RNA sequence: GCACCCGUAGCUCAGUUGGAUAGAGCGCUGGCCUCCGAAGCCAGAGGUCACAGGUUCGAAUCCUGUCGGGUGCGCCA
């Protein structure tokens, strides 16, 4: 549990005690009570809004409530002093030992510092990537992949039972196109001259090996079967091959999944029929005609009776079709069955990570989940905006038609996995992101990857120097955890202590808000505070981490920066980035 | 036409789920290395949080409307 969480509990206990004593009225809701570090650190270590939040329901003045809470807080062992400020903030100054205990935890627990039980072991499903198995992954998939992976890491750290899931869209038109394209490559492998790949088929070279595979497995025999049978065989072979490609790409990014769910298997298991039958029983499905969208009427619009889902009853703008005109299910119908399947597998919490171009799909999916679960299941959809590839300030041109789009692999090969992963989280998901090949590998302060890695490397470097120059100091974790850290009195050192102690809360906040980018920003702030302290030593040698004349203080400072390194390692670990020992 | 996302310093962006005097990097201005930690450091200027209303102790944050940008809009997935 984070320090802040602990204090929130303390405050709530105090409130209920005051209610028992009759000092506060009964039935107060305390959900809105929060304990946070104040924006301005001169206000203290922690701040709670309890008095202001309770003022209205209790029909009392905030300051009066604060006066009641203040002595109770002061009686806590870890509290040094309490002040009431502004409109009713209760500012808490902690005993210095509290932050020092946090530092000891960081040193002792290492990358596990910040683990929490917030999730209470609850199952949660994170579905991400889910790129169509029709070719290798391109950069567009990259952001969602990293986002989903880190989100899953964060939720696991916060105590949820996380399942990472990939939905394989191995049914539908694009798979037929894939099969036809592969079949062409098969004929090519047999020696036939195929010329230009026709418009509408996938032109990429990555299908050449699939053609050769088909040849080695079937010889010339495949071509003699009826076309429908050919396509069926080739579909499976080609999708499997494409999934292998995708798995290799994911591997290059360091991403693995617990589950691959197949759309085809939903069809095969009649999951769609059963999911929709349940909706039908509740009168949520009907035959009807949709209005054309106003102001943007398609040229070939004609009124048509379709099987529709009453998603407008659940907050969607209009009802949505479940069947195509040829009688087969729409993608949406399959997706309802898919989410129904997740719910049946025990997930009442689900997160889908999609590209921003699917934004128009969010409401209907949430509506569907709401309907099939009777409101019991919760779906959060995170949309990742576009990544704009740049090279020295110029946009990189991509033409999907000619098949020469930039693949994920090319990007990873050029700048490295760690850089890609980190940069993808330097913007919140719903903001577009510029990815400049030149900029992301620059070794300057405005490159957060470098800045954070550099901080970690600097700590390691100081540790190596300490081992060489002050051999009398024991640098093991247990010895550092026992260092006399109360000697750390410089304001910059106290700032670092507080920042380290804020890590568990930051992880919890990022996990509950489903916002992985907060980890990257936290790390950049921690690194900045660390570099600032390092720089203090440039002006004033007394502030350097190592002082041969003062081994005790040196030991304490080494403990401090070991804590910094632990937290950075913990954060980078969440982001799937390897902390470096030295800069090269 | 409708829906969703966005609009914060000259630029690129954060902003702890409604908190106190709105922050960072770059850029700009001014300081700091013949030497011990300068791939730099310190300080400063720079804001009507797009605009107008509303909700309340309190709004960049929530609601309504307007303007501007992006994404999408019955059989694709």
């Amino acid at each position: 549990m984070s320090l802040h969480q602990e204090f929130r509990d303390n405050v709530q206990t105090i409130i209920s005690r005051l209610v028992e004593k009759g000092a506060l009225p009964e039935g107060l809701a305390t959900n809105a009570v929060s304990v946070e570090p104040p924006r301005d650190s001169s206000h203290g270590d922690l701040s709670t809004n309890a008095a202001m939040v309770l003022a209205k329901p209790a029909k009392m003045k905030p300051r009066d409530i604060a006066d009641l809470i203040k002595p109770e807080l002061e009686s806590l062992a870890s509290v040094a002093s309490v002040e009431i400020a502004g409109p009713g903030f209760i500012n808490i100054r902690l005993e210095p030992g509290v932050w020092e205990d946090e530092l000891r935890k960081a040193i002792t627990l290492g990358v596990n510092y910040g683990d929490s039980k917030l999730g209470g072991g609850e199952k949660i499903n994170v579905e991400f990537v889910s790129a169509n198995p029709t070719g290798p992954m391109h950069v567009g998939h990259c952001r969602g992949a990293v986002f989903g992976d880190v989100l899953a890491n964060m939720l696991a750290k916060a105590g949820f039972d996380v399942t990472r899931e990939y939905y394989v869209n191995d049914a539908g038109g694009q798979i037929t196109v894939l099969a036809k394209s592969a079949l062409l490559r098969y004929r090519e492998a047999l020696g036939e001259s195929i010329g230009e790949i026709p418009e509408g088929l996938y032109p990429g070279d990555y299908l050449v090996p699939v053609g050769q595979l088909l040849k080695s497995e079937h010889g010339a025999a495949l071509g003699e079967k009826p076309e429908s049978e050919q396509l069926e065989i080739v579909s499976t072979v080609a999708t499997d091959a494409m999934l292998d490609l995708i798995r290799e790409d994911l591997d290059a990014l360091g991403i693995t999944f617990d589950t691959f769910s197949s759309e085809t298997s939903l069809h095969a298991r009649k999951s769609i029929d059963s999911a929709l039958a349940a909706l039908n029983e509740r009168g949520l499905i009907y035959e009807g005609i949709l209005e054309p969208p106003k102001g943007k009427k398609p040229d070939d619009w004609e009124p048509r009776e379709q099987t529709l889902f009453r998603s407008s009853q659940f907050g969607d703008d209009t009802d949505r079709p479940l069947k195509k005109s040829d009688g087969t299910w729409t993608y949406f119908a399959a997706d309802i069955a898919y989410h129904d399947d997740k719910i049946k597998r025990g997930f009442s919490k689900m997160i889908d990570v999609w590209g921003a171009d699917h934004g128009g799909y969010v409401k209907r999916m949430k509506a569907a989940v709401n309907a099939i679960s009777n409101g019991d299941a919760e779906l959060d959809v995170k949309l990742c905006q576009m990544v704009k590839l740049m090279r020295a300030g110029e946009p990189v041109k991509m033409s999907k038609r000619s098949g020469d789009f930039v693949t994920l692999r090319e990007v990873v090969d050029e700048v490295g996995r760690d850089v890609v992963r980190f940069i993808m989280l330097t913007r919140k998901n719903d903001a577009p992101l510029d990815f400049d090949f030149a900029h992301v590998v620059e070794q300057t302060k405005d490159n957060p990857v470098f800045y954070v890695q550099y901080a970690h490397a600097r700590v390691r470097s100081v540790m190596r120097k300490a081992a060489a120059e002050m051999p009398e100091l024991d640098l093991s974790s247990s010895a550092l955890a026992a260092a006399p850290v109360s000697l750390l009195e410089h304001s910059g050192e106290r700032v670092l202590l507080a920042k380290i102690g804020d890590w568990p809360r930051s992880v919890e906040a990022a996990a509950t808000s489903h916002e992985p980018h907060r980890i990257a920003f936290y790390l950049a702030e921690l690194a900045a505070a660390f570099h600032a302290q390092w720089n203090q030593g440039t002006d004033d040698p007394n502030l350097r981490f190592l002082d041969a004349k003062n081994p005790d203080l040196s030991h304490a400072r080494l403990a401090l920066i070991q804590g910094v390194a632990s937290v950075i390692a913990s954060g980078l670990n969440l982001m799937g980035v390897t902390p470096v020992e030295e800069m090269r």
Side-chain angles (χ1 to χ4, degrees), chain A residues 169-205:
Chain A
N169 298 131
D170 52 2
Q174 88 281 3
I175 295 299
T176 313
V177 174
L178 174 72
K180 285 181 177 164
S181 312
L183 215 43
L184 203 62
R185 294 298 190 179
Y186 164 68
R187 300 219 306 270
E188 183 183 44
L190 287 173
E192 201 175 307
S193 168
I194 59 168
E196 284 276 300
I197 307 288
E199 188 75 32
L201 293 189
Y202 299 127
D205 291 343

Side-chain angles (χ1 to χ4, degrees), chain A residues 130-157:
Chain A
S130 301
N132 291 342
T134 55
M137 291 174 68
H138 54 84
V139 273
H141 299 119
C142 186
R143 190 171 182 184
V146 174
F147 179 93
D149 190 45
V150 178
L151 176 57
N153 287 344
M154 283 178 0
L155 290 167
K157 193 176 177 73

